[in-house]
Amino acid sequence: MNRLSLALLHYPVVDKHDEIYTTAITNIDVHDIARSAKTYGLAQYYLVSPITAQQELGKTIASFWIDGAGMSRNPDRSQAMELVSVQADLDGCIANEHALTHSEPVLIATSAKSSKKTTITYDDARGIIEDNLSTILLFGTGHGLAPSVIEKSHYLLEPIYGVAGYNHLSVRSAAAVILDRLTVDRA
Amino acid sequence: MNRLSLALLHYPVVDKHDEIYTTAITNIDVHDIARSAKTYGLAQYYLVSPITAQQELGKTIASFWIDGAGMSRNPDRSQAMELVSVQADLDGCIANEHALTHSEPVLIATSAKSSKKTTITYDDARGIIEDNLSTILLFGTGHGLAPSVIEKSHYLLEPIYGVAGYNHLSVRSAAAVILDRLTVDRA
């Protein structure tokens, strides 16, 4: 079966002035997106940060629920946390997918903003996921992925527009909606 | 235009042993769901708690972004927070809708679990929203809405099943997905 994974990047991302910066891993992003990843059948949830202390934090949060006191308290959470893989950068995610599938993963970037890069529709993305052994959906924290990541990606998914000319979803909400649109069969 | 609103109940909800309890308002629920409510064109986001100190907390969080220092820092957040209406109980939400529309709002409960009550599909729910002046979608914190709220509601929406036999989304993620399914036109 083809692998669909999600990578949450804490670097390189942009702040509200479109400057490149590094964000901190937040507990709520680890929990909410791990739960969504498990619900929508993802293969892996990559937490990406170049900062060693932040990588340790990500591992500590996940392992508390896998091996620690959290396991007996909430076994459902444990199943979600098992999807977490902490990586220093996007290349680490690509290498891991490559090791598992012996093929290059397809990278689909997400953004709430319009960009120079042409976007693909949700239907296009479903087809791409179906046709490839491994696909990684890339999400940026802060104010979104750095332009260099979007350029490097094979595709850019069209934004979630909502209905009101306002599209400022949290990354947790956006990830859930995108996974729902890409994986659930519609009647 | 018909009103679609969302109510996040902190009481009466159930804990993991299915006992009725009261949860605390969390900052992240206020922010994430207000942003989703604004993105998907909702009329109101009701924050429901019977505890006076909690109601004050909810009002303080929202007003910081409307009148306070948050307004200049992030005007987008201000637009989302303007949808927040703090209420002591579900009757307060109903009374507010009644005052605005001179009609009884339709209550659609949500749950991740199956229940005795027959569920409606997302298409059914779209039709109901279209046919009524005011509809309130009810979400429970903790481990979900108390059975009394589900019984009292006119309808119960079918759970989000995902694709992996695991459906433990956070209430923030579930709200975003349900609003996406109910409001965005599908190609």
Side-chain angles (χ1 to χ4, degrees):
Chain A
M1 196 183 132
N2 292 354
R3 289 171 61 85
L4 175 61
S5 302
L6 184 157
L8 183 69
L9 272 65
H10 297 81
Y11 175 88
V13 294
V14 295
D15 67 12
K16 66 173 169 174
H17 305 295
D18 278 332
E19 304 283 343
I20 307 294
Y21 77 148
T22 307
T23 60
I25 288 177
T26 70
N27 190 48
I28 200 85
D29 285 349
V30 181
H31 279 260
D32 275 20
I33 298 177
R35 294 163 73 179
S36 296
K38 183 70 188 171
T39 297
Y40 292 107
L42 266 57
Q44 202 95 71
Y45 168 27
Y46 293 110
L47 264 186
V48 183
S49 172
I51 300 171
T52 312
Q54 287 282 305
Q55 294 164 14
E56 291 306 317
L57 173 66
K59 287 176 194 167
T60 301
I61 293 170
S63 64
F64 172 82
W65 295 95
I66 298 170
D67 316 312
M71 172 59 192
S72 51
R73 194 169 142 202
N74 189 341
D76 293 331
R77 196 59 54 90
S78 170
Q79 285 184 57
M81 288 296 185
E82 281 167 358
L83 299 181
V84 173
S85 169
V86 177
Q87 299 288 342
D89 52 29
L90 184 53
D91 285 343
C93 311
I94 294 170
N96 192 55
E97 289 300 310
H98 199 276
L100 290 164
T101 63
H102 307 289
S103 74
E104 207 63 26
V106 176
L107 305 180
I108 303 181
T110 64
S111 173
K113 294 173 260 190
S114 51
S115 150
K116 287 177 300 188
K117 197 173 177 114
T118 312
T119 57
I120 59 169
T121 67
Y122 291 84
D123 276 344
D124 294 337
R126 280 175 173 259
I128 290 162
I129 294 162
E130 241 175 65
D131 291 345
N132 288 278
L133 287 178
S134 161
T135 302
I136 310 178
L137 292 168
L138 309 182
F139 288 83
T141 51
H143 286 246
L145 294 169
S148 63
V149 178
I150 294 177
E151 283 313 306
K152 176 187 177 150
S153 300
H154 300 95
Y155 302 101
L156 174 62
L157 188 62
E158 70 178 12
I160 299 166
Y161 289 113
V163 299
Y166 174 106
N167 70 334
H168 299 284
L169 294 175
S170 72
V171 70
R172 299 166 288 283
S173 299
V177 167
I178 287 174
L179 295 183
D180 191 72
R181 289 186 181 188
L182 293 182
T183 65
V184 176
D185 284 331
R186 302 192 178 180
Chain B
M1 195 181 134
N2 292 351
R3 289 171 61 87
L4 175 61
S5 303
L6 184 155
L8 183 69
L9 271 64
H10 295 82
Y11 175 87
V13 294
V14 295
D15 66 13
K16 66 173 169 174
H17 306 295
D18 278 331
E19 304 282 344
I20 307 294
Y21 77 147
T22 306
T23 60
I25 288 177
T26 69
N27 190 48
I28 201 86
D29 286 350
V30 181
H31 279 260
D32 275 21
I33 299 178
R35 294 163 73 180
S36 296
K38 184 69 188 171
T39 297
Y40 292 107
L42 266 57
Q44 202 93 73
Y45 168 26
Y46 292 110
L47 264 186
V48 183
S49 172
I51 300 171
T52 312
Q54 287 282 306
Q55 294 164 15
E56 290 306 317
L57 173 66
K59 287 176 194 167
T60 302
I61 294 170
S63 64
F64 172 82
W65 296 94
I66 298 170
D67 316 312
M71 172 59 193
S72 51
R73 194 169 141 202
N74 189 341
D76 293 330
R77 196 60 52 90
S78 169
Q79 285 184 57
M81 288 297 185
E82 280 167 358
L83 299 180
V84 172
S85 167
V86 177
Q87 298 288 341
D89 52 29
L90 184 52
D91 285 343
C93 311
I94 295 170
N96 192 55
E97 290 300 310
H98 200 276
L100 290 165
T101 63
H102 307 289
S103 74
E104 208 63 26
V106 176
L107 305 180
I108 303 182
T110 64
S111 174
K113 295 173 259 192
S114 50
S115 150
K116 287 176 301 187
K117 197 173 178 114
T118 312
T119 57
I120 59 170
T121 67
Y122 290 83
D123 275 345
D124 293 338
R126 279 174 174 261
I128 291 162
I129 294 162
E130 240 176 64
D131 291 345
N132 288 278
L133 287 178
S134 160
T135 302
I136 310 178
L137 292 168
L138 309 182
F139 288 83
T141 52
H143 285 246
L145 293 169
S148 63
V149 177
I150 294 177
E151 284 314 306
K152 177 188 177 148
S153 300
H154 300 95
Y155 302 103
L156 174 62
L157 189 61
E158 69 178 14
I160 299 165
Y161 289 113
V163 299
Y166 174 105
N167 70 334
H168 300 283
L169 294 175
S170 72
V171 69
R172 298 168 287 284
S173 299
V177 167
I178 288 173
L179 295 182
D180 191 72
R181 289 187 182 187
L182 293 181
T183 65
V184 177
D185 285 331
R186 301 192 180 180

